[in-house]
C-alpha cells in the first residue's frame, strides 16, 4: 500500500532535484537574508571590515605613487623609508582586518546555516506520517545535509567575496578618479567591450552547461539503471552492448564539456587582451600627459597597477556565478520543504487529557490513504478500559490502519474516534500519544545504547526504571552479559542482537513508558524457541492492567485476549472469542487453519 | 602520487597534444613576460622625455604581445583542458567496462550509489587534476622561471631580495595546507555523523512520533549540528588565515622591491622603468603562488579518488571464462545435472544449498517450490554461472559448466528473474533485448505468448511506448509479462522462470502457461513458484526446504505424500476461499 503511494507521488516530485534556474532570485534572496537578522550587528561589522579591506588593498598603488613621485624621484631616501614604513603598516593592518573579516563572515555563515538546518529539522519533525509515506528518507536527508551544505558554501565563499569584489572595484575607481579622471575614463573605456564579452560568454556557456547537465543526468540514469539491472545485462550476455551504448552518452557529455572549454578558452584570453589594451591606453595617453607635464610618472605606474587589479574581481564574479546558481536551486528546495504544512494540526483549544482510563471507541469510521480509496469502511467498535482485544485478518484487511488511526498518525474522512468519550481531534497529539504505547511490527532500534533505546532519552525514565522494565520483560540477563551492559551500543560491530532480542528491547521500551493503552503489532518473523518463550511471557506482562490492542500472529497471543475482532477487506466481519468464532466456521476459522494452526510438516 | 601514476598510460595516448600544450604554455608565458619589459622601456623613455611619437608604438607593442600571448593561452586550454576531457571520457569508459565484467557478488557488496559516485564524483576529481591541475602547475612553473630570469636580467640583487619571502610562502602553503586537510577530515567525519543521525531519525519517525520524542530528537540533532558548526569554525580559523597571509607575504615582496629599488634609483644604479617592471612581475607571480595551495588540495583529492578507482580496476572477477576454452561457440544441449552440490555465498555464511543431486532431462519441465529462503533462486542462479559451484559438479549436456564460454552458455538460457527489471526504453527494445536486429514479427509473437500483446496494443504508441520515468509505468503484472516475452524472444535451449507469475492473476497465468506449452516441449524449463497453480502441470516438482530437496514427484503423488507440498496446496485452497468471502 505505502509502496504504491510512493510511486504515484514520485512521478511528480522526481524531477525536483534537477531544477537549476537563475543565479539570483530576489524572493529567495530576501528569504535567505532574513536568516541573517539575529546577527545583524555582526553583519554590519563584517561589512565595515570588508570596506576596510577594499580600501587598504587599493591604497597600495597610491602609496607606490607617492613613494615614486615624492621621494624616489626627489632622491629623498628618508622620506622613502617613512613611506615604506607606512606601507608596511597598511600591509599588516590589511592582513589583520582581512583575517577578521574572513573569519567573521564564516562565523556568520556557520551560525546562519546552523539556524537554518535546525529550523528545517524541527519543521520536518512536526510533519505528519502521510508526508513521510510520500517522501523517501533519502530525499529528506539530502535536504537536511547536502542542500544546506551548498548554502554553506555560498555563504562562506561566494556571497561575501562578491561583496568584497564590488567594494574593491569601488576602491579602485575612487583612487583612479581622484588621481586623474581623464586617464581613468580612457583606461576604463575598455569596460564596455568587457561587459559585452562577459554577457556573450555567459549566454554561450550557460547553454553549454545546460547540455552538460542534460547528458550528465542521462549518463547517471544509464548507470543507475544498468547497475541495478545488472542481472538482466549479465543473463542476456549484453555487457558489450551496454558498454557501447554508454560510450555514446559519455561522448555526448564530453562533447558538451568541450564546447564549454571552447568558450572558456576564448573568454579568458579576451579578458587578458582587454586588460592589455587598457594598459596600452594608459601608456599612450598617460605617457603623453606625463610628457606634457600634466601627470606624474608615479600616477602612470599606479594606474598600470590599478588596471591590473581591476580585471581580477570581474573575472572572479563570473566564476561565482556557478556557486550562486546551485545555491539558489538548493534554497528553493529547502524553502519548498519549509513551506510544507503538517496535514494534521492540533485543535486551537485542545482539551486536556487527564487520568486516562483507556476506553476506545470507533464510530462509523471511514478512512483512505489516498482520495476515495477506502481501506476502512464504516468501522465501529468499542473497547472498554483494561480489555484485551486481538485484531486478526489477512494482509491488507485494514488492521494496521486501525492502529495508525488510534495514534492519530492520519486523520479520518468520516466518523469519529473517541478516547474516554473525547474525540481525539480535540486532544493535543502529544497528549494523546503519551498515553499510548505503540510497538510496531518493523522493529526499529536507534544506533545508540540499549538504555537509550529503552528510554528514548526521556529524563523521566531513569536507569532504575530502565532496568526494571528490562527485568519485567526478561531481557535483563542478556543485557547484563554484554560487555557494556545497558550502555552497549546496539549497532556496534561484533554485537549482534537476534531478532527476538531486538523485539524484547522494543517491548521494554513500551513498558518503561507505562502507557494506559498498548498497541502491539506482533512481528511475524520466526524466532528461536527460547526467545519465543520470553516473548510470550513479555506480552503477558505488557498487557497487564492496560487496554491492549494487538494485531496477533500467534495463537497463544490470541488466546490471551478477551475478544477477537476479525477484519476483512476493510470491514469488521466477525467479533467473538476464539471458541465462538471457530464454531461459527467463517473467516476466522479459515484464517486459523491458514495462519495459526501448526504447520502439518 | 602513487595512484595518480596509473594515469600515465592514459596520458600517453595524447602525448603529442600534451607536448603541444606544454609548448604553448611556454610560448604564452614568454610573451606575457615580455610586456613588463616594454612598459619598463616606455616608462624610462617617458621619464627621459625621449618618447615623443614613440608612445603609440609602445602601446601597440603591449597589445600585440598580449594578443600573441592570448592566442597561445587559447591553444593551451584547447590542448591541455581538452585532453583532460578526453581522458575523462576514456577513463569513464574503461571504468564501466571493468564494472560490467565483475561478478554478481561484486554488485551485492557495492550498491548502485557507490558505483555512480565513482563514475561521476571520483572521475571528476581526477579530471580536475588532469585539466586545471596540470595546466596551472605548468603555468606557475614556467611563469616563475621566466619572471625570475627576466628580473635577474634587469637586476640580480633586487631579484634576490624580492624573492626573499618566497621560501616563507612555500612553507606557509605547506603548513596551512596540512592543517586544513586535517581539520577538513574532522568536518567530513562530523558531517557523516550528522547525515546518519538525520537518516536514522527519519527512518524511525514512527517510533519518534509514537513516543512523542520529537523534542529530544531535536535536542540531540542540535548537539550534533552544533558540534559540526564548531568543527567548521575551527577549519574556518585556519582557512581564513591562508588568504590574508598570502597577500601579506606577496605585499612584502612589493614593499621590499620599492624600498631597495627606490634607494637604487636614488643612487642612480637603477631606472624607474626597471622598478616598474619589477612591480609588474611580482603582480604576475602573486596569483600563481596563491593558487599553489589550491593545486595541492586538488591533487590530494584526485589521489584519493584515483585510489578508489584503482581498486575497481585491480579487482578481478572471480568468475571468468576459463583459459582452457578452445572453441567459442559450442552448441548446448538442455540436459542439466547437479552432482553433490553444496553452496554458500561466502566462507563465513551457512550453506544455502546442501547435497543437491538433480538431473533435469532435455525437454523436461521442472517445478520448484519451497518457502522463502529455502534456496530456490540460488539453485537456478548457478546454471547461468552467476555464482560459481565450488563443491560438487554442475554439468550441462554431460560437460562441466566451466568448459562453456559465457557467451554460448548465457545465450542458451532464457531467464525471467524474480525481480522484474525493465529498461527505460521502448517496449519493443525491451522485448527484443537479446537481439541487435530483430524482426517485428518475433516481438509480436513473443508478446502474444506472454499475454502482453493486448495491453501494448491499447497504448497509443503501441510497441514504441517508452517505459519508465519519461514514459509510462507498467503495472507489476504487465512488467512480468514483458519480462517473460523478453525471455521467449531469446529462443533459449533452457528456460528459467523464477517466480515470474507472482503479480499475474491465475487466469492470465494459465493462458501464458498454455502458450508456453508448445515452446517448453522442445526445451528444458525450470519454473519456480510459490503457487501450486503454476507448477501443477510440470513433469516433475521438487520441494526445497532449508537448502535440501525434501520432496520429489508429480503434483498428484506429492499431494498423496501429505508433506510440505500438500500443506502448501491446502493453504492455498483456503486462501482462495477467503478471497471469495
Amino acid at each position: 500500500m505505502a509502496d504504491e503511494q510512493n510511486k504515484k507521488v514520485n512521478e511528480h516530485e522526481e524531477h525536483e532535484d534537477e531544477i537549476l534556474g537563475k543565479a539570483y532570485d530576489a524572493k529567495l534572496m530576501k528569504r535567505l537574508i532574513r536568516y541573517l537578522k539575529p546577527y545583524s550587528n555582526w553583519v554590519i561589522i563584517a561589512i565595515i571590515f570588508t570596506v576596510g579591506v577594499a580600501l587598504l588593498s587599493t591604497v597600495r598603488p597610491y602609496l607606490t605613487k607617492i613613494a615614486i613621485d615624492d621621494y624616489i624621484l626627489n632622491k629623498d631616501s628618508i622620506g622613502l623609508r617613512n613611506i615604506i614604513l607606512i606601507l608596511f603598516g597598511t600591509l599588516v593592518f590589511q592582513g589583520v582586518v582581512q583575517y577578521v573579516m574572513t573569519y567573521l563572515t564564516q562565523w556568520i555563515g556557520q551560525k546562519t546555516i546552523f539556524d537554518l538546518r535546525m529550523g528545517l529539522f524541527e519543521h520536518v519533525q512536526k510533519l505528519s506520517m502521510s508526508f513521510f509515506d510520500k517522501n523517501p528518507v533519502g530525499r529528506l536527508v539530502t535536504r537536511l545535509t547536502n542542500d544546506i551544505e551548498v548554502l554553506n558554501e555560498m555563504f562562506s565563499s561566494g556571497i561575501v567575496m562578491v561583496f568584497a569584489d564590488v567594494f574593491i572595484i569601488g576602491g579602485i575607481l575612487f583612487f583612479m578618479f581622484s588621481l586623474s579622471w581623464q586617464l581613468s575614463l580612457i583606461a576604463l573605456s575598455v569596460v564596455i567591450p568587457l561587459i559585452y564579452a562577459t554577457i556573450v560568454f555567459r549566454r554561450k556557456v550557460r547553454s553549454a552547461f545546460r547540455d552538460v547537465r542534460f547528458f550528465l543526468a542521462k549518463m547517471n540514469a544509464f548507470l543507475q539503471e544498468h547497475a541495478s539491472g545488472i542481472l538482466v545485462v549479465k543473463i542476456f550476455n549484453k555487457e558489450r552492448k551496454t558498454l557501447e551504448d554508454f560510450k555514446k552518452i559519455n561522448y555526448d557529455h564530453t562533447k558538451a564539456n568541450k564546447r564549454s572549454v571552447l568558450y572558456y578558452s576564448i573568454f579568458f584570453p579576451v579578458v587578458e587582451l582587454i586588460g592589455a589594451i587598457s594598459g596600452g591606453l594608459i601608456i599612450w595617453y598617460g605617457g603623453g600627459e606625463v610628457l606634457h607635464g600634466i601627470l606624474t610618472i608615479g600616477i602612470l605606474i599606479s594606474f598600470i597597477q590599478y588596471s591590473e587589479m581591476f580585471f581580477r574581481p570581474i573575472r572572479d564574479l563570473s566564476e561565482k556565478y556557478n556557486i550562486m546558481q546551485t545555491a539558489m536551486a538548493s534554497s528553493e528546495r529547502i524553502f519548498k520543504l519549509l513551506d510544507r504544512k503538517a496535514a494534521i494540526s492540533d485543535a486551537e483549544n485542545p482539551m486536556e487529557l487527564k487520568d486516562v482510563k483507556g476506553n476506545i471507541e470507533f464510530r462509523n469510521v471511514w478512512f483512505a490513504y489516498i482520495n476515495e480509496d477506502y481501506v476502512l469502511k464504516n468501522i465501529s467498535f468499542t473497547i472498554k478500559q483494561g480489555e484485551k482485544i486481538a485484531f486478526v485478518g489477512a494482509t491488507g484487511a485494514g488492521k494496521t490502519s486501525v492502529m495508525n488511526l488510534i495514534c492519530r498518525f492520519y486523520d479520518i474522512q468520516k466518523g469519529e474516534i473517541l478516547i474516554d468519550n473525547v474525540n481525539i481531534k480535540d486532544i493535543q497529539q502529544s497528549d494523546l500519544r503519551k498515553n499510548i504505547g505503540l510497538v510496531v511490527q518493523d522493529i526499529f532500534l536507534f544506533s545508540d545504547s540499549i538504555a537509550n533505546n529503552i528510554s528514548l532519552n526521556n529524563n523521566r525514565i531513569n536507569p532504575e526504571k530502565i532496568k526494571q522494565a528490562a527485568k519485567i520483560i526478561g531481557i535483563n540477563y542478556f543485557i547484563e552479559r554484554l560487555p557494556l551492559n545497558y550502555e552497549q551500543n546496539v549497532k556496534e560491530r561484533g554485537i549482534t542482537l537476534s531478532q527476538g532480542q531486538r523485539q524484547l528491547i522494543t517491548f521494554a521500551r513500551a513498558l518503561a513508558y507505562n502507557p494506559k493503552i498498548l498497541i502491539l503489532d506482533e512481528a511475524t518473523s520466526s524466532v528461536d524457541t527460547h526467545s519465543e518463550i520470553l516473548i510470550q511471557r513479555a506480552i503477558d506482562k505488557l498487557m497487564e492492567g492496560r487496554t491492549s490492542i494487538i494485531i496477533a500472529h500467534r495463537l497463544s497471543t490470541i488466546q490471551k485476549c478477551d475478544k477477537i475482532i476479525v477484519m476483512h477487506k476493510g470491514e469488521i466481519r466477525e467479533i467473538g472469542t476464539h471458541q465462538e468464532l471457530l464454531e461459527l466456521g467463517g473467516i476466522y476459522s479459515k484464517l486459523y487453519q491458514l495462519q495459526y494452526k501448526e504447520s502439518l510438516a | 602520487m602513487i595512484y595518480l601514476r596509473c594515469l600515465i598510460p592514459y596520458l600517453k595516448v595524447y602525448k603529442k597534444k600534451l607536448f603541444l600544450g606544454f609548448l604553448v604554455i611556454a610560448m604564452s608565458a614568454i610573451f606575457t613576460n615580455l610586456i613588463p619589459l616594454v612598459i619598463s622601456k616606455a616608462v624610462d623613455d617617458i621619464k627621459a622625455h625621449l618618447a615623443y611619437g614613440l608612445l603609440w608604438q609602445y602601446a601597440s607593442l603591449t597589445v600585440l604581445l598580449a594578443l600573441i600571448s592570448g592566442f597561445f593561452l587559447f591553444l593551451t586550454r584547447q590542448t591541455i583542458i581538452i585532453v583532460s576531457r578526453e581522458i575523462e571520457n576514456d577513463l569513464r569508459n574503461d571504468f564501466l567496462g571493468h564494472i560490467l565484467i565483475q561478478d554478481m557478488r561484486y554488485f551485492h557488496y557495492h550498491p548502485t550509489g557507490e558505483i555512480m559516485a565513482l563514475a561521476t564524483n571520483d572521475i571528476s576529481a581526477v579530471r580536475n587534476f588532469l585539466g586545471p591541475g596540470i595546466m596551472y602547475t605548468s603555468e606557475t612553473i614556467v611563469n616563475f622561471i621566466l619572471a625570475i630570469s627576466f628580473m635577474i636580467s634587469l637586476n640580480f640583487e633586487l631579484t634576490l631580495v624580492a624573492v626573499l619571502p618566497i621560501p616563507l610562502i612555500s612553507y606557509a602553503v605547506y603548513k596551512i595546507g596540512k592543517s586544513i586537510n586535517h581539520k577538513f577530515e574532522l568536518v567530513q567525519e562530523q558531517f557523516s555523523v550528522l547525515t546518519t543521525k538525520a537518516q536514522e531519525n527519519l527512518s524511525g519517525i514512527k517510533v519518534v512520533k509514537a513516543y512523542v520524542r520529537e523534542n529530544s530528537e531535536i535536542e540531540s540533532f542540535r548537539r550534533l549540528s552544533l558540534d559540526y558548526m564548531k568543527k567548521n569554525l575551527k577549519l574556518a580559523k585556519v582557512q581564513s588565515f591562508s588568504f590574508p597571509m598570502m597577500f601579506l607575504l606577496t605585499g612584502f615582496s612589493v614593499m621590499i622591491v620599492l624600498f631597495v629599488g627606490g634607494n637604487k634609483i636614488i643612487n642612480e644604479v637603477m631606472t624607474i622603468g626597471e622598478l616598474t617592471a619589477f612591480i609588474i612581475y611580482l603582480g604576475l607571480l602573486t596569483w600563481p603562488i596563491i593558487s599553489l595551495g589550491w593545486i595541492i588540495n586538488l591533487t590530494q583529492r584526485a589521489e584519493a579518488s584515483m585510489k578508489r578507482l584503482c581498486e575497481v580496476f585491480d579487482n578481478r572477477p572471480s568468475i571468468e571464462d576459463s583459459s582452457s576454452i578452445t572453441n567459442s561457440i559450442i552448441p548446448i544441449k538442455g540436459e542439466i545435472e547437479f552432482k553433490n552440490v553444496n553452496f554458500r555465498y561466502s566462507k563465513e555464511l551457512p550453506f544455502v544449498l546442501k547435497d543437491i543431486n538433480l538431473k533435469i532431462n532435455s525437454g523436461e519441465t521442472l517445478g520448484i517450490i519451497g518457502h522463502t529462503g529455502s534456496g530456490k533462486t540460488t539453485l537456478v542462479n548457478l546454471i547461468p554461472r552467476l555464482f560459481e559451484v565450488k563443491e560438487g559438479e554442475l554439468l550441462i549436456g554431460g560437460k562441466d559448466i566451466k568448459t562453456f564460454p559465457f557467451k554460448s552458455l548465457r545465450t542458451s538460457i532464457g531467464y525471467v528473474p524474480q525481480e522484474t527489471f525493465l529498461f527505460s526504453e521502448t517496449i519493443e527494445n525491451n522485448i527484443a533485448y537479446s537481439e541487435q536486429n530483430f524482426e517485428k514479427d518475433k516481438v509480436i509473437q513473443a508478446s502474444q505468448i506472454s499475454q502482453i500483446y493486448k495491453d501494448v496494443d491499447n497504448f497509443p504508441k503501441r510497441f514504441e511506448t517508452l517505459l519508465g520515468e519519461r514514459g509510462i509505468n507498467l503495472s507489476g503484472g504487465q512488467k512480468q509479462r514483458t519480462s517473460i516475452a523478453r525471455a521467449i524472444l531469446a529462443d533459449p535451449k533452457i528456460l528459467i522462470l523464477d517466480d515470474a507469475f507472482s503479480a499475474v492473476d491465475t487466469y492470465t497465468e494459465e493462458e501464458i502457461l498454455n502458450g508456453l506449452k508448445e515452446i517448453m516441449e522442445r526445451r528444458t524449463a525450470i519454473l519456480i513458484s510459490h503457487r501450486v497453480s503454476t507448477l501443477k502441470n510440470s513433469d516433475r516438482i521438487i520441494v526445497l526446504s532449508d537448502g535440501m530437496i525434501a520432496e520429489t514427484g508429480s503434483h498428484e503423488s506429492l499431494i498423496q505424500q501429505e508433506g510440505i507440498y500438500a500443506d502448501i496446496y491446502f493453504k492455498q485452497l483456503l486462501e482462495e476461499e477467503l478471497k471469495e468471502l
Side-chain angles (χ1 to χ4, degrees), chain A residues 579-597:
Chain A
Q579 214 49 46
E580 284 166 9
L581 292 178
L582 272 189
E583 279 163 24
L584 193 70
I587 294 172
Y588 181 76
S589 68
K590 291 224 162 55
L591 279 170
Y592 166 71
Q593 293 180 63
L594 198 59
Q595 291 180 1
Y596 306 116
K597 217 170 120 185

Side-chain angles (χ1 to χ4, degrees), chain A residues 219-238:
Chain A
M219 196 160 75
N220 277 335
F222 186 93
L223 282 170
Q224 152 92 37
E225 188 161 288
H226 285 81
S228 34
I230 189 71
L231 179 68
V232 174
V233 175
K234 291 206 166 282
I235 288 292
F236 284 90
N237 202 45
K238 288 291 168 194

Side-chain angles (χ1 to χ4, degrees), chain A residues 492-512:
Chain A
E492 210 132 284
R493 271 169 186 281
I495 304 290
T496 36
L497 299 177
S498 74
Q499 205 60 8
Q501 287 157 344
R502 291 159 58 87
Q503 201 175 359
L504 288 170
I505 291 174
T506 66
F507 285 180
R509 180 193 291 165
L511 192 77

Side-chain angles (χ1 to χ4, degrees), chain B residues 44 82 96 108 137 184 234 252 277-278 318 380 394 408 442 451-452 472 480 508 521 532 580:
Chain B
D44 279 344
I82 289 289
L96 190 73
H108 184 75
T137 311
F184 184 70
K234 270 189 190 149
F252 280 155
F278 261 87
S318 60
V380 291
L394 177 53
S408 52
K442 281 173 89 180
Q451 303 294 323
I452 188 70
I472 60 155
Q480 278 190 338
T508 314
E521 247 165 43
V532 171
E580 303 298 310

Side-chain angles (χ1 to χ4, degrees), chain B residues 109-121:
Chain B
Y109 289 110
H110 299 80
T112 305
E114 188 188 318
I115 293 170
M116 288 178 61
L118 283 164
T120 52
N121 299 351

